[in-house]
Amino acid sequence: MPLFSHRSSASSGSAGSAPLPSFYSAKPVKPSKPFSAFSSTRIPWPILVFSLLCLLIGLAGTLFALSAIRRNQPLPIFRCGTSEDTFRSFYSSSDSGKLGGDSNKGLVDRPKLLGFVGIQTGFESGERRSALRSTWFPSDPDGLLRLEQATGLGFRFVIGKSKDVKKMTMLEKEIEKYRDFMLIDVEEEYLKLPYKTLAFFKAAFKLFEADYYVKADDDIYLRPDRLATLLAKERSYSMTYIGCMKKGPVITDPKLKWYEKSGHLIGNEYFLHAYGPIYVLSAEVVASLAAARNDSLRMFNNEDVTIGSWMLAMNVHHEDNRAICDPRCTPTSIAVWDIPRCSGLCNPASKLKELHKIGMCSKSPTLPPDDI
């Protein structure tokens, strides 16, 4: 017999039986609602709204992450402090194999070159840059790369910054189109050219591993092939300063051009130094400049005099070469400009194009090193 059993309904309904508990009823009972664990506690609507927002944010984040993965990698910027090489940034994003190395690995370190040439330019020199790009300076990144591979020389326009928003906006558009600039962190101002030159050499040394560093202005006609031949020559001096050397009287009259405020420190005549439109410093010389504190070097009014004074202090070898200050195109000319009438070409925007049409300037052959 089971431990528990129910009595028959007949006996339960007899008169002598005990009354039924109150929760029993003879009336039919309506079925109760199904039990739910949440029936007694409702979720407040603010929490529900917050949960939905979190879900939407999570979905949006996931979609953004997926789109970022599928998108092209952001353009790497090759900078030294606040200096930037826009050319390498362009090639690293478009076709890094052209510059050597796997992916971006070969682009991070300083590329090895025979020489790096910084064409000093300014915000008012748009016509000069246009004329250069239509003559000896390549007009597109591929042409600039081919020139570098053919000569071992890297070329960039070097420019500082301006507080003028309009000028900076125009420069950004030009950079986007040509990708041939080195940007340096110095205010672009004529009276501060010595500071710009020092900033250029420091940035160039940290961005490029070159045997020689060339400072050139944007108003000269240059033969890159012959410049490469000059730099490739064997030299017995590791600290070399190549240029078209000169001396001359110190100008102490403020009303005259080339006035030198600190002329009393120099005397009546300048020491031997190179003309400013183009000169070359060897790697060891530039390494010393790059290591110097900005305020440790004396700055004269004139940039070429300033560089010349540093060269005296560093005991470099002065190499005078008249082929880089030729007033006309010859079979041996490397740089052509209107010496001594102008510090560069007079009316350079038009003169550059005129010279380029002359076969002696643009089409004459490169000479062997002994002839330069």
Side-chain angles (χ1 to χ4, degrees), residues 31-344:
S32 61
K33 294 181 180 179
F35 174 77
S36 172
F38 303 99
S39 61
S40 60
T41 56
R42 286 187 178 181
I43 301 175
W45 68 267
I47 296 178
L48 182 61
V49 171
F50 179 75
S51 300
L52 289 173
L53 283 174
C54 290
L55 179 61
L56 291 174
I57 292 172
L59 289 173
T62 303
L63 291 173
F64 178 79
L66 291 173
S67 64
I69 293 172
R70 294 172 61 89
R71 193 184 306 145
N72 291 333
Q73 292 298 316
L75 184 129
I77 302 299
F78 291 87
R79 289 192 173 117
C80 158
T82 51
S83 300
E84 177 186 343
D85 178 16
T86 62
F87 174 78
R88 293 174 66 210
S89 297
F90 168 73
Y91 265 114
S92 67
S93 65
S94 60
D95 191 354
S96 61
K98 290 186 177 182
L99 292 177
D102 298 328
S103 298
N104 294 334
K105 183 178 179 182
L107 298 172
V108 176
D109 298 329
R110 301 158 68 210
K112 185 74 174 69
L113 298 170
L114 169 62
F116 178 75
V117 185
I119 308 298
Q120 311 297 307
T121 191
F123 288 96
E124 310 300 331
S125 299
E127 290 186 0
R128 294 185 184 185
R129 292 192 294 273
S130 178
L132 285 170
R133 293 189 186 106
S134 67
T135 56
W136 65 266
F137 194 100
S139 59
D140 62 88
D142 284 346
L144 201 59
L145 179 60
R146 287 192 298 270
L147 179 61
E148 180 178 313
Q149 293 171 340
T151 62
L153 305 179
F155 290 86
R156 305 287 188 276
F157 287 112
V158 180
I159 195 168
K161 60 184 180 181
S162 173
K163 296 178 183 178
D164 190 319
V165 177
K166 185 177 179 180
K167 289 181 179 180
M168 293 301 294
T169 301
M170 293 179 64
L171 176 62
E172 289 172 3
K173 292 180 180 179
E174 191 174 349
I175 291 172
E176 185 68 24
K177 183 176 181 179
Y178 294 106
R179 305 288 184 174
D180 53 8
F181 283 88
M182 172 191 279
L183 310 178
I184 57 177
D185 185 22
V186 67
E187 199 71 25
E188 193 66 48
E189 186 178 342
Y190 182 78
L191 295 178
K192 292 185 177 180
L193 282 181
Y195 295 91
K196 178 181 178 179
T197 301
L198 179 60
F200 156 66
F201 281 123
K202 287 191 172 194
F205 182 76
K206 292 182 180 179
L207 286 170
F208 299 91
E209 183 184 357
D211 295 334
Y212 296 93
Y213 297 84
V214 184
K215 179 265 179 183
D217 290 344
D218 60 4
D219 55 358
I220 64 172
Y221 189 90
L222 185 66
R223 282 289 298 263
D225 54 338
R226 292 181 183 171
L227 177 61
T229 304
L230 171 65
L231 300 184
K233 291 177 65 174
E234 291 290 335
R235 291 178 173 84
S236 56
Y237 300 93
S238 60
M239 300 184 69
T240 303
Y241 174 33
I242 307 171
C244 198
M245 300 296 169
K246 65 170 180 174
K247 286 185 177 181
V250 177
I251 307 299
T252 56
D253 186 347
K255 298 178 181 179
L256 298 179
K257 191 177 183 181
W258 315 124
Y259 162 67
E260 186 54 68
K261 182 179 179 181
S262 301
H264 62 283
L265 298 175
I266 302 172
N268 296 326
E269 187 179 59
Y270 282 118
F271 38 78
L272 188 68
H273 63 283
Y275 279 97
I278 181 171
Y279 54 83
V280 184
L281 302 182
S282 62
E284 193 169 327
V285 176
V286 176
S288 298
L289 293 179
R293 300 192 313 273
N294 286 355
D295 58 354
S296 67
L297 298 171
R298 180 174 295 279
M299 299 288 183
F300 291 98
N301 283 31
N302 300 299
E303 179 259 343
D304 54 352
V305 173
T306 301
I307 295 295
S309 69
W310 299 344
M311 297 303 101
L312 282 180
M314 296 171 66
N315 194 30
V316 304
H317 175 68
H318 290 60
E319 183 178 315
D320 184 27
N321 193 307
R322 314 313 285 186
I324 61 176
C325 60
D326 212 323
R328 62 189 182 282
C329 294
T330 69
T332 59
S333 58
I334 298 174
V336 177
W337 46 284
D338 292 321
I339 183 175
R341 288 187 299 145
C342 300
S343 182

